Amino acid sequence: MEPFHILVVEDDPDINRLLCKIVADAGYDCRPAYSGSEALLLAEKYSYDLILLDLMLPGLSGEELIAKLRSGKTMPIIVLSAKAGTEARVNVLKLGADDFIPKPFENIEVLARMEAQLRRYKKFSDVTAVGALQWGDLVLDRDSVQVTAGGTEVTLTAREFEILALLMERPKKVFTREQIYVQVWGEEYMGDDNTVNVHISNLRSKLNKASGKDHIKTVWGIGFKMMEEA
């Protein structure tokens, strides 16, 4: 079986080497990049299963790189940054990052979060369920892993796709943030609403931009469900 390919984007040579060692010791293929510009060129030329990304980079910043990658790529992006505040974390999640690890980091945590993301990405990439889900002008095709809204194709991250699939499978059910987090992230819910809220916000924005409609309803104090006539 071919190993996962990981791109490590970090301008500090010592930290880059350490991250590549964590990746290689786990049996994955690692390619280092030392600037945002170099990383963008590599991501356009080669296919990667996951990116470990610093934010403060020469050339393109980490935030700029996320925005450019998310215009058409769905691989998980884990940010590792000394910008450890809530605002920084929420900002990169809004841009399309999948996880955030503050520096200094523990090697074992980096590996655990990488493996969790890769499991979900493999599940997303190897979708085997037959058929499509439809609700109003929304169509989610499991076979091709594509979503259209009002006839316009919408590019979603793996996690956004999973959230939308969950809601569309039972469109009249109200899902709590905890239920969404446990189902999509596959981890115990720790009571942090920001992560779910940001991903729902990103998903709503993309669907609205494509069709000019709101598709996901907030049920205040409970959670989220599909609009009755999306």
Side-chain angles (χ1 to χ4, degrees):
M1 180 179 175
E2 187 177 356
F4 286 115
H5 300 285
I6 315 297
L7 179 62
V8 173
V9 191
E10 166 64 64
D11 64 325
D12 184 304
D14 292 332
I15 297 176
N16 198 309
R17 278 193 295 270
L18 172 59
L19 290 171
C20 281
K21 186 176 189 305
I22 294 170
V23 169
D25 287 351
Y28 306 133
D29 177 70
C30 178
R31 184 187 294 269
Y34 299 91
S35 72
S37 304
E38 180 187 8
L40 182 61
L41 289 173
L42 289 172
E44 289 174 342
K45 186 175 182 180
Y46 304 104
S47 177
Y48 295 99
D49 299 294
L50 183 142
I51 295 178
L52 294 176
L53 176 66
D54 185 25
L55 293 180
M56 293 179 282
L57 296 166
L60 287 175
S61 69
E63 291 92 341
E64 291 170 328
L65 179 61
I66 293 171
K68 287 184 177 295
L69 290 174
R70 283 302 183 234
S71 65
K73 295 185 180 294
T74 62
M75 84 287 276
I77 298 173
I78 300 178
V79 168
L80 299 99
S81 177
K83 297 181 180 179
T86 300
E87 184 178 348
R89 180 182 175 216
V90 169
N91 183 45
V92 295
L93 289 174
K94 283 183 176 179
L95 286 172
D98 295 276
D99 205 350
F100 186 101
I101 303 174
K103 292 179 179 178
F105 53 78
E106 295 290 340
N107 295 9
I108 192 170
E109 181 181 9
V110 173
L111 180 59
R113 290 183 178 273
M114 275 178 46
E115 291 181 336
Q117 292 292 340
L118 288 169
R119 281 195 301 272
R120 282 187 285 275
Y121 185 58
K122 185 176 188 300
K123 178 182 175 183
F124 170 75
S125 300
D126 296 340
V127 174
T128 57
V130 176
L133 296 171
Q134 184 166 0
W135 185 250
D137 68 351
L138 274 182
V139 179
L140 182 148
D141 192 315
R142 294 180 179 279
D143 293 334
S144 62
V145 198
Q146 289 182 323
V147 171
T148 59
T152 300
E153 186 171 347
V154 184
T155 300
L156 301 181
T157 66
R159 193 160 282 155
E160 290 163 356
F161 185 92
E162 290 182 34
I163 292 172
L164 184 59
L166 178 67
L167 296 178
M168 290 180 68
E169 282 169 358
R170 300 179 67 184
K172 296 185 179 181
K173 174 180 171 59
V174 179
F175 288 88
T176 66
R177 290 169 179 80
E178 179 177 2
Q179 288 170 331
I180 293 172
Y181 191 88
V182 170
Q183 287 286 327
V184 174
W185 274 258
E187 301 171 2
E188 182 182 355
Y189 182 67
M190 303 304 290
D192 179 6
D193 289 344
N194 272 339
T195 301
V196 174
N197 288 347
V198 167
H199 282 80
I200 289 283
S201 176
N202 288 346
L203 179 56
R204 273 180 168 149
S205 177
K206 290 180 179 182
L207 297 176
N208 182 275
K209 184 177 179 181
S211 69
K213 297 181 181 179
D214 290 325
H215 297 82
I216 299 172
K217 179 179 181 180
T218 298
V219 181
W220 296 107
I222 304 177
F224 306 96
K225 67 187 289 288
M226 298 303 296
M227 286 286 192
E228 288 300 329
E229 297 182 0

